[in-house]
Amino acid sequence: MDAQERGRAEDIDPADQWVLNPNTGEYELRLPDSVPQSPPVPSPRRMGAAPRARTAAPGREAAPGREAAPGREVPPPRRRRAVPEEPPPGRRGRRPGKPKAKKAKKALMWTGGTMAFVLVATAVGGYFYLKHLEGNVTTTDVGDAAASSFRKDEAFNILIIGTDKRTGAGNEGYGDKNSVGHADTTILLHVAKDRSNATALSIPRDLIVDIPDCETKQEDGTTEVVPGLQGVRFNRSLGESGRDPGCAMRTVKEFSGIVPDHFMMVDFNAVKTLTTAVDGVPVCLNRAIYDDKSKLDLPAGESTIEGEQALAFVRTRKAFGNSSDLDRIKVQQQFLGSLMRKMSSSDTLTSPKKLIKLAEAATEALTVDKAIGKVGTLKDIALELKKVPPKNITFTTVPVKDNPAEVIKATVVVEETTAPQVFDMIRNDVSFTEVKAQKKKEKAAVAARLKGPKADASEVRVRILNGGAESGSAQNQLLYLQNDAGVLKSENAGNADAAQAKTTLEYAPDQADQARRLAAIMGLSGAALKPGKSVTNSQGLPTMTLVLGKDFRGAGVKLNATSAKTPDSVQKSTADKVQCAG
């Protein structure tokens, strides 16, 4: 039984067992007197000192079997040294006159971080407790389907998978009795590089896709390639024939072009344990609901649900809309938004007890790729997610339509007119909500470099190179500049010497007015403008150099667009909105 369980057995808040040792300046785990303690660490002033012989305390005899060795006395039993002026662990009372705000502040000092979305929460400091949490997390090696490390300075995509595997007590009545764990609920979470926004894209389980060949790691260290499938439901990308989460990640890339960096996978227990850890999640219904299959029974209006009731809420298909998986997805998105608000609420963040329960529940529920299997990395992800304002977290669904190949409609296919734009927005890190994307530092650069007179477009001379954009981008941009923007003195100079992340425009000081005109046409920021030197074009005239980087979004698309108009047919909601289902 670990230290935390011992603390729980005596109804002591585990966070209250971490006490500042004034001798070392570190927090130490102090257990009640009834719990055996490890010998205290010697004071640095005593380390290396020769032991002094001591006689037995007056009136005490040496314990049987502990007779003194010749020339040595038996020391008295060691007593735990009291920490000066510290109240007993777990029973600290508030000092008279001490504001409650101080207590909340102190509680926050004990916590290491909390997840702003789902799944991850780390509470109370301490190496051994973090290692304990790390032991709760299951990892799966999915090879090159996942990134080798988590990058805090980049945009990232996490594929969140909820399986229908019936593991855990009380789950016998849910899911497919013989399921190996299909991808029952899947969300692709995209977090913007500047953390100003995020998009949670739901993928219908009944979406018809092509599943590519998938290389999987076996327990004995060998690899096995599972053959792909054409024209099947997306949920078969996991579990069937030994397909691992890496196969689901590869399938997402296959049909959307979006590359998931990592995955997080949970089963039915996650919903039950996470909602219980935060003392329930508020939901709202337009009408009373009773579903005899999921056993969901809720009145109209607001309710707080947890455990079995919460699982029934996110799994029911018969209670909402036309009983389809698409209607269930809408309800799940509303539920996740509510869970996010509850996890980031002040009563959760200032309660060490809730944070510990949340940390235990989240880590025990998780299976992740090896690159993010460390609790420290999961905490980093949580802290990055916490930077995103809830009002700029958009929930949406892959645009789909009924499968035209079916008479009785049971599956859906990608809607080819609107889905590509949704996929492009995520790939290009474009927000679905209006956000302020420029930082103060960039604004200063914009003001300094973009302010001033602009040359006429017909006077702008520029050579265009492809430095990481899609093939053909330089030629397409050239045609746009000449035919639509009036920049006739432009030419395609082929490929740059090396790829670069950002589009740049280098120019000589006497070309600043030309640079400002081209910046206005293309939406270039001040940071993209690089004062330097000019080069000679094919006519022997001095010209600027435009290098299209990986951020280039296509001919005529301005690079400073922080949001784009979502197709009217795409349904979406944001995490800060309270909505009623039904």
Side-chain angles (χ1 to χ4, degrees):
M1 185 165 67
D2 62 19
Q4 186 192 13
E5 290 170 334
R6 288 196 294 267
R8 223 187 257 123
E10 296 194 17
D11 197 26
I12 296 172
D13 190 333
D16 287 337
Q17 299 176 39
W18 291 88
V19 179
L20 180 67
N21 185 334
N23 296 316
T24 64
E26 301 288 340
Y27 280 92
E28 297 179 354
L29 183 63
R30 298 292 175 81
L31 301 179
D33 293 344
S34 60
V35 180
Q37 299 290 310
S38 301
V41 178
S43 167
R45 291 175 296 178
R46 306 259 325 166
M47 293 187 66
R52 292 185 295 179
R54 292 188 291 182
T55 59
R60 297 192 60 154
E61 300 291 336
R66 294 193 61 195
E67 290 79 6
R72 298 193 63 177
E73 300 292 337
V74 176
R78 300 181 69 175
R79 297 179 181 274
R80 189 187 309 129
R81 182 175 58 192
V83 178
E85 299 183 3
E86 281 286 351
R91 296 173 174 81
R92 293 191 188 90
R94 185 164 58 91
R95 294 174 182 170
K98 187 177 181 180
K100 291 184 178 180
K102 294 289 187 181
K103 184 176 182 180
K105 184 176 180 182
K106 196 168 186 179
L108 284 171
M109 290 173 62
W110 279 321
T111 65
T114 184
M115 186 168 191
F117 183 45
V118 285
L119 304 176
V120 183
T122 41
V124 302
Y127 173 80
F128 291 107
Y129 186 68
L130 290 178
K131 295 302 288 185
H132 160 72
L133 290 179
E134 200 164 285
N136 289 345
V137 180
T138 302
T139 60
T140 296
D141 186 355
V142 294
D144 61 4
S148 58
S149 62
F150 173 67
R151 294 285 304 275
K152 291 195 290 185
D153 57 344
E154 294 291 342
F156 60 89
N157 301 316
I158 297 180
L159 191 66
I160 301 173
I161 307 170
T163 76
D164 59 3
K165 195 170 185 178
R166 302 190 326 164
T167 54
N171 294 328
E172 296 82 3
Y174 294 104
D176 181 355
K177 181 177 180 180
N178 300 311
S179 176
V180 292
H182 294 110
D184 189 57
T185 299
T186 307
I187 295 174
L188 179 66
L189 174 65
H190 170 78
V191 180
K193 180 177 180 178
D194 63 3
R195 308 302 185 245
S196 65
N197 67 91
T199 303
L201 180 70
S202 291
I203 302 172
R205 54 167 291 171
D206 297 327
L207 176 66
I208 296 299
V209 297
D210 291 339
I211 300 174
D213 294 346
C214 179
E215 186 178 89
T216 60
K217 297 279 186 178
Q218 305 300 304
E219 291 183 3
D220 60 2
T222 62
T223 59
E224 179 180 330
V225 176
V226 181
L229 297 170
Q230 283 72 49
V232 298
R233 282 179 167 88
F234 174 80
N235 69 334
R236 296 177 64 182
S237 65
L238 177 70
E240 185 178 304
S241 301
R243 293 186 179 89
D244 63 15
C247 299
M249 297 170 74
R250 290 181 169 94
T251 302
V252 170
K253 179 182 177 182
E254 180 80 10
F255 78 79
S256 71
I258 304 169
V259 181
D261 299 302
H262 306 285
F263 82 88
M264 293 181 177
M265 184 170 65
V266 296
D267 58 19
F268 289 161
N269 270 345
V271 174
K272 297 197 292 186
T273 56
L274 286 172
T275 53
T276 301
V278 296
D279 294 338
V281 173
V283 296
C284 180
L285 294 175
N286 288 323
R287 58 183 175 82
I289 295 292
Y290 175 73
D291 182 357
D292 60 347
K293 290 188 178 297
S294 69
K295 308 305 180 187
L296 178 65
D297 187 4
L298 291 175
E302 293 188 1
S303 299
T304 299
I305 58 175
E306 63 179 272
E308 293 288 347
Q309 227 181 7
L311 181 57
F313 184 83
V314 298
R315 283 198 51 75
T316 184
R317 296 178 64 161
K318 303 298 180 183
F320 303 110
N322 60 7
S323 302
S324 72
D325 187 53
L326 298 179
D327 289 306
R328 183 177 69 158
I329 285 174
K330 297 175 189 176
V331 174
Q332 290 172 343
Q333 291 172 347
Q334 294 170 16
F335 173 83
L336 286 174
S338 183
L339 176 59
M340 290 169 55
R341 293 190 294 272
K342 186 62 180 287
M343 292 176 74
S344 60
S345 65
S346 58
D347 65 330
T348 299
L349 296 179
T350 59
S351 171
K353 187 174 182 179
K354 285 185 180 180
L355 285 171
I356 290 170
K357 288 169 62 179
L358 195 54
E360 294 287 346
T363 52
E364 287 176 358
L366 274 177
T367 298
V368 301
D369 56 280
K370 283 188 172 295
I372 60 172
K374 300 289 186 183
V375 165
T377 306
L378 293 173
K379 184 186 74 173
D380 288 342
I381 293 174
L383 294 176
E384 293 304 309
L385 287 168
K386 191 177 178 182
K387 296 176 183 177
V388 182
K391 68 179 181 179
N392 291 332
I393 300 175
T394 302
F395 289 98
T396 189
T397 305
V398 173
V400 296
K401 62 182 181 181
D402 289 335
N403 187 352
E406 295 176 334
V407 177
I408 300 176
K409 305 303 181 184
T411 61
V412 293
V413 295
V414 170
E415 213 293 314
E416 62 272 6
T417 59
T418 55
Q421 182 176 344
V422 171
F423 298 154
D424 285 345
M425 290 174 69
I426 293 176
R427 281 199 306 268
N428 295 317
D429 203 21
V430 178
S431 175
F432 283 68
T433 57
E434 293 288 344
V435 297
K436 294 180 180 179
Q438 291 182 315
K439 300 179 181 179
K440 291 181 180 179
K441 186 176 180 181
E442 185 176 319
K443 286 183 178 181
V446 169
R449 297 179 184 176
L450 298 182
K451 189 174 182 180
K454 302 179 181 67
D456 189 87
S458 62
E459 298 301 318
V460 174
R461 289 192 300 273
V462 62
R463 59 197 295 265
I464 308 169
L465 292 89
N466 191 330
E470 291 186 5
S471 179
S473 292
Q475 182 62 24
N476 292 336
Q477 182 66 5
L478 173 68
L479 294 175
Y480 167 76
L481 290 176
Q482 292 182 341
N483 299 330
D484 299 303
V487 182
L488 303 178
K489 298 175 182 179
S490 52
E491 63 183 34
N492 183 354
N495 293 326
D497 293 335
Q500 58 188 51
K502 298 291 186 180
T503 296
T504 59
L505 175 63
E506 185 177 1
Y507 57 96
D510 61 352
Q511 295 171 319
D513 58 343
Q514 295 183 43
R516 285 190 286 268
R517 172 58 63 191
L518 189 59
I521 292 171
M522 294 186 60
L524 297 175
S525 68
L529 271 58
K530 304 294 182 183
K533 60 183 181 179
S534 64
V535 294
T536 302
N537 65 10
S538 58
Q539 284 78 41
L541 298 173
T543 184
M544 301 182 294
T545 300
L546 174 68
V547 180
L548 306 179
K550 294 178 181 178
D551 63 338
F552 182 71
R553 299 172 180 176
V557 180
K558 290 196 173 185
L559 286 164
N560 61 352
T562 58
S563 66
K565 179 175 173 55
T566 312
D568 294 335
S569 59
V570 175
Q571 295 183 337
K572 64 178 183 178
S573 62
T574 53
D576 63 323
K577 299 270 189 347
V578 177
Q579 295 180 306
C580 294

